[in-house]
Amino acid sequence: MLDFYKELKGIGYPLYLFTSDEIQDDLELHSVLVTVFDKIFSAKQMGLTKADPYAFEVIAKNVNADVKDILFIDDAQKYLTAANDAGCQTIQFISNDQVLRQLHGLK
């Protein structure tokens, strides 16, 4: 999965990780994640949930972006709905190839 994100980063997309909990605090995993993602956000640390549209507004402000310019990729529909409600573009992750096809369709 990280290879997929590295491929996206290689295309030129800024990448941010939005986790529900604190997986990024695992020392071994953290050293890998920071090489792929520009910034890591934890809903738990933010005092919010990924199902809260406001969380996406907070992230947009933090990365100095308009929420409508954020593309959120996830496999869980409830999080995609929250991102859509906030104004983000979304892609439901099913496979790497499917997401890449959809990304190319956005350009």
Side-chain angles (χ1 to χ4, degrees), residues 48-65:
L48 299 167
T49 71
K50 285 173 66 175
D52 183 350
Y54 179 66
F56 295 91
E57 295 172 23
V58 170
I59 290 171
K61 185 174 183 174
N62 191 283
V63 300
N64 200 28

Side-chain angles (χ1 to χ4, degrees), residues 4-17 35-39 69-73 89 91 99-107:
F4 170 69
Y5 292 120
K6 287 178 184 178
E7 187 174 347
L8 290 180
K9 188 169 187 148
I11 294 171
Y13 291 98
L15 296 179
Y16 306 100
L17 178 64
T35 66
V36 178
F37 296 98
D38 298 302
K39 188 157 188 173
D69 295 327
I70 292 177
L71 172 63
F72 180 67
I73 302 170
Q89 301 173 65
I91 294 177
V99 170
L100 287 172
R101 280 193 306 276
Q102 285 187 260
L103 284 173
H104 290 297
L106 292 175
K107 288 189 173 191

Side-chain angles (χ1 to χ4, degrees), residues 53-95:
Y54 179 66
F56 295 91
E57 295 172 23
V58 170
I59 290 171
K61 185 174 183 174
N62 191 283
V63 300
N64 200 28
D66 192 316
V67 73
K68 70 177 175 47
D69 295 327
I70 292 177
L71 172 63
F72 180 67
I73 302 170
D74 203 290
D75 60 345
Q77 185 58 52
K78 67 181 177 179
Y79 302 143
L80 295 166
T81 298
N84 273 323
D85 289 348
C88 297
Q89 301 173 65
T90 60
I91 294 177
Q92 184 166 21
F93 180 87
I94 297 168
S95 72

